[in-house]
Amino acid sequence: MKFRRSERLIDMTNYLLEHPRQLVSLSFFADRYGSAKSSISEDLAIIKETFEQRGIGTLQTVPGAAGGVKFFVRVSKEEATPIVEDLCALMANPERLLPGGYLYMTDILGDPSVVQKAGRLLASAYADTKIDVVMTVATKGIPLAYAVASQLNVPVVIVRRDTKVTEGSTVSINYVSGSTKRIQTMVLSKRSLEEGSNVLIVDDFMKAGGTVNGMISMLEEFRATVAGIAVLVEAQQQEDRLIDDYLSLVQLSDVDLKEKTIKVTAGNYFDRLYN
Amino acid sequence: MKFRRSERLIDMTNYLLEHPRQLVSLSFFADRYGSAKSSISEDLAIIKETFEQRGIGTLQTVPGAAGGVKFFVRVSKEEATPIVEDLCALMANPERLLPGGYLYMTDILGDPSVVQKAGRLLASAYADTKIDVVMTVATKGIPLAYAVASQLNVPVVIVRRDTKVTEGSTVSINYVSGSTKRIQTMVLSKRSLEEGSNVLIVDDFMKAGGTVNGMISMLEEFRATVAGIAVLVEAQQQEDRLIDDYLSLVQLSDVDLKEKTIKVTAGNYFDRLYN
């Protein structure tokens, strides 16, 4: 069965989007469509151009016999700006204010389209970094961690607060919560992380950074390396923040419980990525 | 700026895949590419044909002034079969056996590509059903719930085992675990679910069905309706199963701790969908 170019472009687009950071050989596509490799090359050139123009991502060509093409998500500044602005507007709604100055974010984190956009932005920042695993802590960070991991084509490991029988044997650590200074526990299944892994830590919210710091201690137990730290929202600048090398999409600059106002600005994402 | 057909097809494919079950007007695409609506119609016919042929999904055309096109994920039996076979093979690895006959599934649930495929299959079964929300229980079901929800274009609500300050006020219920007969608690944030919602319950594993039953009781508290129940894995047929109307991708038919064997077969997915 032969495929026309238009059909190939549609199917290849879907295939590449579903297989980010995976090397796909030209022969694979040539066989799939019963087409010459030269036609496939032309198709890929069109896809690359369109992906870049529309801010979808880019294709990298790996030459040689073992070569092929890899899709990387890459979001342009023009594309990222309205996504972060929308996130800021969502966060600034004063109805989010909860007793104690906490913010209700469950609806934002429950919306797959929001989470996927945020995940694409963060993944875009690490597309060229060697990352083997995304790590997060249960529960709220999980959706964002998956959104990032699916764009990076790596598995997710989830640190828990408690042991569960279905995890098998586990490693447990104690850490100090940055804001409340309370001792807390984190548990990770022994089988879930290989020694020497390069790990991107992802979480929904960072205040003083105690939880992230706990994850870093956990990585030390597994002799794994921190390849990056990315959060959706960081609380207003803390003097005693435990973490300084991280990426954030949104920053709470001022939460006023009395006046019921939340001031939200873009996180350090643009400064770090586009300057 | 004018776009060639090939560029339009690539960008439209990406756009439609990212916006499942959302009505997109022809004018939206016409404006986006500076093209005539008649050209857009032709593009959509090519995309529809290719999507259907390659088992990606389908496009539904809504006629009239307020009309447009909607993408639905729809997996064919031919496409679903190898995905479920792969899942069965993954599950049958005897190294998954944990003390007490539990199975280690964390690696499967941690692999976004596996979870996304499973999510596509389950979403495909409910593409035509009125669903407003996907509900799951923390922690293991969350990734699959998001994978399903993102294909259905609905939010996810997560029932927890414990209260958290960032959830605001909550509704709490007690339920009886089906297999251990222990009384357990479930909590859901009051704001997270609207009265009258049509809810698809998604979970990673179902044994006697106590947890799913707990979620159904929770829905009653919120005056919401169960629109469906979908699980990745069901344990071998339980005589006293509390739930009988559900969809499963994989079934454990026999777990033998002494012989260290796990027998796995396809769940009821094919029977329910393709017969």
Side-chain angles (χ1 to χ4, degrees):
Chain A
M1 185 171 177
K2 270 244 179 194
F3 285 81
R4 284 174 296 158
R5 164 147 293 154
S6 53
E7 293 163 334
R8 294 198 306 263
L9 292 175
I10 293 165
D11 189 61
M12 284 164 99
T13 297
N14 177 59
Y15 190 90
L16 291 165
L17 291 172
E18 277 195 351
H19 297 84
R21 298 218 307 179
Q22 254 167 283
L23 188 66
V24 188
S25 69
L26 296 199
S27 334
F28 171 82
F29 282 132
D31 291 350
R32 189 173 171 100
Y33 309 120
S35 308
K37 279 196 200 174
S38 56
S39 311
I40 300 294
S41 280
E42 287 165 29
D43 296 343
L44 289 170
I46 300 170
I47 293 176
K48 180 181 159 79
E49 202 198 320
T50 310
F51 274 15
E52 289 177 355
Q53 225 172 70
R54 307 297 306 186
I56 298 168
T58 186
L59 299 186
Q60 199 183 75
T61 310
V62 180
V69 68
K70 267 189 203 183
F71 163 64
F72 291 89
V73 62
R74 182 155 300 157
V75 184
S76 63
K77 193 178 178 181
E78 290 65 42
E79 253 227 318
T81 305
I83 297 176
V84 170
E85 282 171 358
D86 287 354
L87 271 173
C88 288
L90 267 174
M91 286 296 301
N93 181 347
E95 287 181 16
R96 302 200 171 280
L97 277 173
L98 294 172
Y102 289 94
L103 287 190
Y104 183 83
M105 284 171 57
T106 306
D107 57 332
I108 295 178
L109 298 170
D111 184 335
S113 72
V114 172
V115 170
Q116 266 168 20
K117 277 178 202 154
R120 282 188 63 223
L121 293 197
L122 295 176
S124 175
Y126 296 98
D128 300 327
T129 310
K130 172 130 188 54
I131 286 168
D132 305 308
V133 165
V134 165
M135 175 187 262
T136 192
V137 67
T139 310
K140 289 218 190 332
I142 298 177
L144 184 64
Y146 269 83
V148 174
S150 68
Q151 295 289 348
L152 295 177
N153 184 35
V154 298
V156 177
V157 304
I158 299 172
V159 176
R160 303 177 60 105
R161 306 284 184 180
D162 53 348
T163 333
K164 255 209 129 177
V165 57
T166 47
E167 294 283 327
S169 48
T170 54
V171 173
S172 156
I173 64 150
N174 293 315
Y175 69 100
V176 181
S177 147
S179 33
T180 64
K181 309 282 183 208
R182 279 209 323 250
I183 302 264
Q184 307 211 20
T185 306
M186 268 184 193
V187 185
L188 182 59
S189 166
K190 263 195 177 167
R191 310 192 186 184
S192 66
L193 188 60
E194 270 177 54
E195 227 175 76
S197 301
N198 297 290
V199 181
L200 174 61
I201 293 175
V202 172
D203 211 354
D204 59 316
F205 193 83
M206 180 167 75
K207 211 168 174 184
T211 308
V212 169
N213 228 12
M215 284 194 264
I216 294 172
S217 306
M218 183 64 90
L219 291 183
E220 283 164 9
E221 290 295 322
F222 281 83
R223 295 173 198 278
T225 308
V226 184
I229 297 165
V231 299
L232 183 68
V233 180
E234 59 169 316
Q236 53 199 109
Q237 274 307 336
Q238 308 277 320
E239 275 175 33
D240 52 350
R241 181 159 280 161
L242 304 163
I243 304 290
D244 37 48
D245 192 11
Y246 62 89
L247 206 61
S248 68
L249 292 184
V250 170
Q251 187 184 37
L252 300 183
S253 53
D254 197 18
V255 176
D256 190 328
L257 262 175
K258 233 168 124 189
E259 298 290 326
K260 296 214 168 181
T261 54
I262 308 173
K263 269 198 200 128
V264 184
T265 56
N268 64 17
Y269 185 81
F270 294 101
D271 289 346
R272 298 276 169 118
L273 248 76
Y274 302 111
N275 287 339
Chain B
M1 185 174 178
K2 269 245 180 189
F3 286 80
R4 284 173 296 158
R5 164 148 291 157
S6 54
E7 294 164 333
R8 291 199 307 263
L9 291 175
I10 294 165
D11 189 61
M12 283 164 99
T13 297
N14 177 59
Y15 190 90
L16 291 165
L17 291 172
E18 278 194 351
H19 297 83
R21 298 218 306 178
Q22 255 168 282
L23 187 67
V24 189
S25 69
L26 296 199
S27 334
F28 172 82
F29 283 132
D31 291 350
R32 191 173 169 99
Y33 309 122
S35 308
K37 280 197 200 174
S38 56
S39 312
I40 299 294
S41 281
E42 287 165 30
D43 297 343
L44 290 169
I46 301 171
I47 294 176
K48 179 180 160 78
E49 201 197 320
T50 311
F51 274 14
E52 288 177 355
Q53 224 173 71
R54 309 296 306 184
I56 298 168
T58 187
L59 298 187
Q60 199 184 75
T61 310
V62 180
V69 67
K70 268 189 201 182
F71 163 64
F72 290 89
V73 63
R74 180 155 302 157
V75 184
S76 64
K77 193 178 178 180
E78 291 65 42
E79 254 227 319
T81 306
I83 296 175
V84 170
E85 282 171 358
D86 286 355
L87 270 173
C88 289
L90 267 174
M91 285 297 301
N93 181 347
E95 287 181 16
R96 302 200 171 279
L97 277 173
L98 294 172
Y102 290 95
L103 288 188
Y104 183 84
M105 286 171 55
T106 307
D107 58 331
I108 295 179
L109 298 170
D111 184 335
S113 73
V114 173
V115 171
Q116 265 168 21
K117 277 178 202 155
R120 281 187 64 222
L121 293 198
L122 295 176
S124 173
Y126 296 97
D128 299 326
T129 309
K130 172 131 189 54
I131 287 169
D132 305 308
V133 165
V134 166
M135 175 187 261
T136 192
V137 66
T139 308
K140 290 217 190 330
I142 299 176
L144 185 65
Y146 270 81
V148 175
S150 69
Q151 294 289 348
L152 295 178
N153 185 35
V154 297
V156 178
V157 304
I158 300 172
V159 176
R160 304 176 61 105
R161 307 283 184 182
D162 53 347
T163 333
K164 255 207 130 180
V165 58
T166 47
E167 294 284 327
S169 48
T170 54
V171 173
S172 156
I173 63 149
N174 293 315
Y175 70 100
V176 181
S177 147
S179 33
T180 64
K181 309 280 183 208
R182 279 209 324 250
I183 301 264
Q184 307 210 22
T185 306
M186 268 184 193
V187 185
L188 183 59
S189 166
K190 262 194 178 169
R191 307 192 190 186
S192 65
L193 189 60
E194 270 178 54
E195 226 175 76
S197 302
N198 296 291
V199 181
L200 174 62
I201 293 176
V202 172
D203 211 354
D204 60 316
F205 193 83
M206 180 167 75
K207 213 170 173 182
T211 308
V212 169
N213 229 12
M215 284 193 265
I216 294 173
S217 306
M218 184 63 93
L219 290 183
E220 284 164 10
E221 289 296 323
F222 280 82
R223 296 174 199 275
T225 308
V226 184
I229 298 166
V231 299
L232 183 68
V233 180
E234 58 169 317
Q236 53 199 111
Q237 275 306 338
Q238 309 277 320
E239 276 175 34
D240 52 350
R241 181 158 281 160
L242 304 163
I243 303 292
D244 37 47
D245 192 12
Y246 61 90
L247 207 61
S248 70
L249 291 183
V250 171
Q251 187 184 37
L252 301 183
S253 54
D254 197 17
V255 176
D256 190 328
L257 262 175
K258 234 168 124 188
E259 298 289 326
K260 295 213 170 185
T261 55
I262 309 173
K263 270 198 198 125
V264 184
T265 56
N268 64 15
Y269 186 81
F270 294 101
D271 290 346
R272 297 276 170 118
L273 249 76
Y274 301 112
N275 287 340

